[in-house]
C-alpha cells in the first residue's frame, strides 16, 4: 500500500459540510485565505501531507474545536504512518498528529473533561518529544501546567511551567517565555 493513498473521502465530506455552515464572521481577506485552504483540501492531486496541513490550518483559523474533527485528522495521520512513508513525510505526519492530539486535549479541557484532556496532551507531548519539536514540547508542557494549576496542584504545575520556560529561553522565544 503506497503512503499516498486516498484517505480523505469521508473526511472531505465532514470538512465540506462544516465549511458551508459558518456562523463566524471573517474579513474579506480572511475569507479568501480560508477559501484557498479549502481549495487545497479539495484538490486530490495535492500530496496527502499538504492536505493534512491544510486541514489543521483550516481548523485553527476557523476555531473549529470539535473532538471529531481533530480525531479525524489524527486518524488519517496514523493510517498513513502505518504504511511506512519516507522519513521526511513521516516526520511531517508525526507533527500534524501531535498538533491534532493537542487540539483534542484542548477541546476536552474546554468541555471540563480533564482526564481526557490530560491523556491527549500527554500523547501529543510524547510525539513532540520523539520528533524533537521544541515548540511543541514547550506548548504541551505549558498546557499541562495550566490544567494542574487550575486544580490547585501548584507544585506539579510549576514543574511543567519551569520545563517549558527552560525550553523557550533556550530558543530565545520571548513571546513563549511570557506565556510560560
Amino acid at each position: 500500500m503506497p503512503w499516498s493513498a486516498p484517505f480523505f473521502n469521508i473526511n472531505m465530506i465532514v470538512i465540506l459540510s462544516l465549511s458551508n455552515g459558518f456562523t463566524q464572521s471573517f474579513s474579506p481577506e480572511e475569507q479568501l485565505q480560508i477559501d484557498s485552504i479549502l481549495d487545497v483540501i479539495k484538490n486530490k492531486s495535492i500530496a496527502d501531507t499538504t492536505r493534512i496541513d491544510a486541514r489543521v490550518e483550516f481548523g485553527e483559523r476557523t476555531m473549529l474545536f470539535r473532538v471529531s474533527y481533530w480525531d479525524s485528522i489524527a486518524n488519517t495521520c496514523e493510517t498513513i504512518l502505518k504504511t511506512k512513508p519516507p522519513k521526511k513525510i513521516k516526520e511531517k505526519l508525526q507533527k500534524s498528529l501531535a498538533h491534532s492530539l493537542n487540539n483534542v486535549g484542548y477541546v476536552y479541557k474546554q468541555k471540563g473533561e480533564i482526564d481526557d484532556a490530560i491523556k491527549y496532551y500527554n500523547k501529543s507531548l510524547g510525539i513532540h518529544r520523539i520528533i524533537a519539536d521544541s515548540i511543541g514540547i514547550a506548548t504541551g508542557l505549558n498546557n499541562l501546567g495550566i490544567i494542574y494549576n487550575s486544580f490547585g496542584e501548584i507544585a506539579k504545575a510549576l514543574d511543567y511551567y519551569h520545563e517549558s520556560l527552560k525550553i523557550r529561553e533556550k530558543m530565545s522565544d520571548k513571546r513563549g517565555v511570557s506565556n510560560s
Side-chain angles (χ1 to χ4, degrees), residues 10-21:
I10 294 173
N11 295 330
M12 281 303 299
I13 294 168
V14 171
I15 290 171
L16 295 176
S17 65
L18 290 171
S19 68
N20 292 329

Side-chain angles (χ1 to χ4, degrees), residues 38-73:
L38 285 172
D39 288 342
V40 170
I41 293 168
K42 292 178 204 175
N43 188 339
K44 294 183 186 214
S45 68
I46 294 176
D48 288 341
T49 53
T50 302
R51 292 169 60 209
I52 288 169
D53 287 346
R55 291 173 64 200
V56 170
E57 183 71 17
F58 176 81
E60 292 282 338
R61 284 184 184 252
T62 61
M63 297 188 298
L64 185 59
F65 289 107
R66 294 188 181 131
V67 170
S68 61
Y69 179 79
W70 295 105
D71 261 346
S72 74
I73 296 172

Side-chain angles (χ1 to χ4, degrees), residues 84-97:
K84 309 259 190 257
K87 183 180 179 184
K88 207 173 199 181
I89 293 168
K90 178 182 176 182
E91 290 170 357
K92 197 170 184 180
L93 287 166
Q94 287 173 311
K95 191 168 186 171
S96 293
L97 174 59

